[in-house]
Amino acid sequence: MADTKREIERKYEGPPAGGDAPLPDLTDVPGVSGVIDKGVAELDATYYDTADQRLATASLTLRRRTGGDDAGWHLKLPVSEGVRDEIRAPLSDTVPEDLTALVRSRIREAELVPVVRLLSARDIRHLVDASGTLLAEVSVDRVRAERLSGGAGSAEWTEIEVELADDGDPAFLDKVEKKLRKAGIKRSASASKLAKALDDTAPRKPEKAEKAEKSGKAEKAGKPGKAGKAGTTGKAGTTGKVADVSKATTKAAKPEPPDSTPRTAGDHILTYARAQRDAIVELDPAVRRDVPDSVHRMRVATRRLRSTFRSYGKILDRTVTDPIGVELKWLAAELGVDRDQEVLTEHLTTALDDLPSDLVTGPVQARLSTWSGARRSGSRQHLIAVLDGKRYLDLLTTLDTLVAGPPLREAASKKPEKVIAKAVRKDFEKVADLVGEALELPSGSERDLAMHDARKKAKRTRYAAEAATPALGDPAADLVKSMKSLQTLLGDHQDSVMVRGALRELATEAHEAGENAFTYGVLYGRAEQRAAAVEAELPGEWEAIEDKGAV
């Protein structure tokens, strides 16, 4: 398995290649007691990407590097400005499969090819404190870039890197930067060496063509926003050419950024939909790496997108989005194969831990562990297979196609205050009907189902209000809070329903094994009390929400 290192660094511009080393004396940086010269390392790195540079577009870098003390393959995933996770794999002649998998959501079925080679002479210094502990590594890199595909250019430059030591305080980088700035050294305009290399070695267009392109962009930027223009490439009142999931191509469409600030109803909803598409793609590597909460977050993004399609059918043609919604529902289910069981086990374990020891009879903890393990589907491997599968990759491509050429209906060109607000109110009214129905029913299975349906509708209304907030402001934001509160309350009730079902199953197994089932009955009674407490709280909660109303 590849190793991961959190990399926190800043890059600065150096003098032209061949110039003097630009570093000032760093010994008087607060906290620094010594600057240790570690010599010069000769680094040879070849960067890989697709022919249309999908990794570079997403600020990802994949390289094979020799020289230095970390020779091997390195994949860098952006976390935030100046922070990246570096995934390392041993040196080999071909791209390691582990790293290819981590960029699958970006490259799909495209081939990774060498795009740039960087030869660097790295002059390294270590900044240490009074105890000799490393604070940061400062290097002066003299770089030569050679284009390997998409051109044949070359470039040379010098840059400075300051990389924080493992577990170091990021504030220390501010102290170093203050010293560098006093010496006239400024931040690099490029996010990475690769970005600068690609820019500096790109084939230059003829002067006339470049002027014409700039003129065209300026003219386009001066046009007022329209549905299908601002944030979209489709036309209001027409159905965009969105590939059917079953026929989606394997080529990834390059995401199209919005042309300007959202103005129409269509603009706002597409901005939200695009954000959910981006979240799914960006979370893919984290899910593969089993980063905590990544599966849950990816699942939420699929649900948000599916809810958006259903809530805003007056804006996006549902004859196109409904089949995509089916695929999103499938993906959410695959992401939740083990998650639901995990949550249920957590509830049962917590309830058992809260029980006084004199109420625990028999091997309850052991049976709970056995029961939980037996229901784990081994879905880790299954989920990775899903993410590598054609159905999932086709879904990503279809989502790319949809946001690039959305199936806008006539209402998409209208002002958001009317169209979006109407859609949110419609969802809110459905929640009201379902809550009212639940409140009229006596406690029991029918009420349990009604409350569960109300919870699902509250979640959908919450997502609709989230999408509406940039256009409608505080009223929509307030509705998000109300629906989240209602969703939490109804979720507690549903958790009780699921826990009681599991306890009945556990009690039956324990009884058949000749074990004392007393504890399961105690836990069942407590879960039943929690459900009753929620049912008692619901009328007051709902009355407060109804008083506020929708947008």
Side-chain angles (χ1 to χ4, degrees):
M1 185 66 181
D3 296 325
T4 302
K5 179 181 183 298
R6 176 61 56 87
E7 179 184 84
I8 303 175
E9 68 177 17
R10 297 181 186 178
K11 297 180 182 293
Y12 302 87
E13 294 183 1
D20 294 334
L23 287 178
D25 181 8
L26 298 175
T27 56
D28 58 353
V29 172
V32 174
S33 293
V35 179
I36 303 174
D37 189 341
K38 303 297 288 186
V40 178
E42 299 293 336
L43 308 176
D44 186 345
T46 299
Y47 287 78
Y48 285 71
D49 204 338
T50 60
D52 54 356
Q53 297 179 13
R54 297 177 196 176
L55 299 186
T57 300
S59 299
L60 275 65
T61 61
L62 173 63
R63 73 186 178 202
R64 180 187 187 275
R65 190 169 78 180
T66 58
D69 59 3
D70 63 346
W73 286 90
H74 306 148
L75 171 64
K76 298 192 178 187
L77 305 172
V79 176
S80 59
E81 184 179 0
V83 183
R84 296 185 291 183
D85 279 341
E86 183 176 272
I87 319 297
R88 298 176 176 179
L91 204 61
S92 62
D93 293 334
T94 58
V95 182
E97 183 55 38
D98 282 353
L99 300 190
T100 301
L102 292 177
V103 297
R104 181 72 68 202
S105 66
R106 301 289 184 182
I107 67 172
R108 315 292 161 80
E109 299 299 327
E111 182 183 5
L112 289 168
V113 297
V115 291
V116 167
R117 183 185 184 190
L118 298 184
L119 302 172
S120 304
R122 170 164 288 182
D123 190 358
I124 305 169
R125 293 166 178 81
H126 282 181
L127 307 185
V128 298
D129 64 14
S131 66
T133 301
L134 179 65
L135 299 172
E137 179 176 285
V138 181
S139 63
V140 179
D141 295 345
R142 292 180 172 85
V143 186
R144 176 177 173 78
E146 300 173 354
R147 191 83 171 207
L148 302 178
S149 64
S154 63
E156 294 185 8
W157 70 90
T158 300
E159 72 176 36
I160 301 166
E161 283 189 8
V162 183
E163 182 175 348
L164 190 68
D166 293 346
D167 301 319
D169 182 359
F172 178 70
L173 295 182
D174 294 332
K175 299 175 183 178
V176 177
E177 179 162 315
K178 184 176 181 180
K179 181 67 175 178
L180 295 177
R181 290 179 65 183
K182 284 184 178 180
I185 298 170
K186 60 182 180 179
R187 288 276 195 107
S188 174
S190 299
S192 66
K193 286 185 176 66
L194 176 62
K196 182 171 177 58
L198 289 172
D199 185 55
D200 289 357
T201 64
R204 296 304 174 191
K205 298 179 181 179
E207 188 175 346
K208 289 184 178 180
E210 191 170 350
K211 286 183 177 179
E213 182 177 324
K214 288 181 178 179
S215 176
K217 287 182 178 178
E219 181 181 349
K220 184 177 182 180
K223 292 181 178 180
K226 298 178 180 178
K229 290 291 184 180
T232 75
T233 54
K235 294 182 178 180
T238 63
T239 300
K241 296 180 179 179
V242 178
D244 182 73
V245 173
S246 62
K247 300 178 180 179
T249 64
T250 56
K251 181 178 179 181
K254 186 174 287 188
E256 293 291 338
D259 291 333
S260 63
T261 302
R263 293 181 175 86
T264 66
D267 292 339
H268 282 280
I269 299 311
L270 285 170
T271 296
Y272 186 78
R274 186 180 289 110
Q276 306 319 312
R277 184 280 311 268
D278 291 349
I280 293 170
V281 173
E282 291 166 5
L283 283 166
D284 180 291
V287 171
R288 293 174 186 269
R289 292 163 56 204
D290 203 17
V291 173
D293 203 39
S294 58
V295 171
H296 171 68
R297 290 165 58 204
M298 189 174 183
R299 193 181 187 191
V300 168
T302 64
R303 287 171 165 172
R304 280 180 168 137
L305 190 51
R306 180 168 174 257
S307 292
T308 299
F309 292 158
R310 298 178 71 186
S311 294
Y312 294 105
K314 293 293 184 180
I315 294 173
L316 295 171
D317 188 348
R318 288 193 59 173
T319 63
V320 176
T321 62
D322 276 358
I324 303 174
V326 171
E327 296 303 289
L328 290 168
K329 183 178 181 181
W330 160 78
L331 178 58
E334 293 289 2
L335 290 166
V337 167
D338 261 2
R339 176 59 181 166
D340 292 341
Q341 179 64 35
E342 181 183 340
V343 171
L344 181 56
T345 300
E346 288 176 359
H347 283 307
L348 289 166
T349 300
T350 299
L352 183 60
D353 290 343
D354 290 342
L355 210 59
S357 58
D358 60 340
L359 295 180
V360 180
T361 59
V364 181
Q365 183 61 64
R367 176 157 297 282
L368 175 57
S369 298
T370 302
W371 173 86
S372 177
R375 280 151 186 78
R376 291 293 295 262
S377 61
S379 67
R380 183 74 200 150
Q381 291 182 345
H382 172 74
L383 180 55
I384 297 303
V386 167
L387 297 182
D388 284 333
K390 186 176 185 299
R391 184 174 182 179
Y392 168 70
L393 298 177
D394 282 352
L395 172 58
L396 296 186
T397 299
T398 299
L399 294 176
D400 287 344
T401 307
L402 182 137
V403 298
L408 298 175
R409 300 185 65 190
E410 184 177 355
S413 63
K414 297 180 179 180
K415 292 182 179 181
E417 292 80 1
K418 181 177 180 181
V419 179
I420 293 179
K422 183 177 181 180
V424 175
R425 284 195 295 271
K426 184 177 180 181
D427 277 349
F428 182 80
E429 289 167 1
K430 291 179 180 178
V431 174
D433 290 341
L434 289 171
V435 172
E437 178 184 332
L439 291 175
E440 291 176 358
L441 293 169
S443 294
S445 59
E446 286 190 30
R447 173 177 267 197
D448 292 344
L449 289 172
M451 292 180 71
H452 183 47
D453 287 342
R455 173 176 174 260
K456 291 189 291 184
K457 189 63 67 177
K459 186 183 300 184
R460 175 174 156 182
T461 305
R462 172 188 167 188
Y463 296 153
E466 283 180 353
T469 297
L472 305 182
D474 290 344
D478 289 342
L479 183 59
V480 171
K481 294 178 183 177
S482 293
M483 290 298 100
K484 185 175 182 180
S485 176
L486 178 62
Q487 179 187 331
T488 299
L489 185 65
L490 294 174
D492 289 344
H493 185 274
Q494 180 62 16
D495 288 342
S496 170
V497 172
M498 299 303 293
V499 164
R500 282 179 281 159
L503 287 169
R504 282 194 295 268
E505 188 176 336
L506 283 163
T508 299
E509 291 180 3
H511 177 74
E512 291 175 349
E515 299 167 5
N516 191 322
F518 169 77
T519 299
Y520 304 106
V522 174
L523 292 172
Y524 187 98
R526 290 193 165 197
E528 199 169 41
Q529 287 178 345
R530 285 195 296 275
V534 170
E535 292 180 21
E537 186 180 348
L538 180 58
E541 175 78 12
W542 179 246
E543 184 178 354
I545 291 174
E546 267 197 317
D547 287 343
K548 292 180 182 178
V551 296

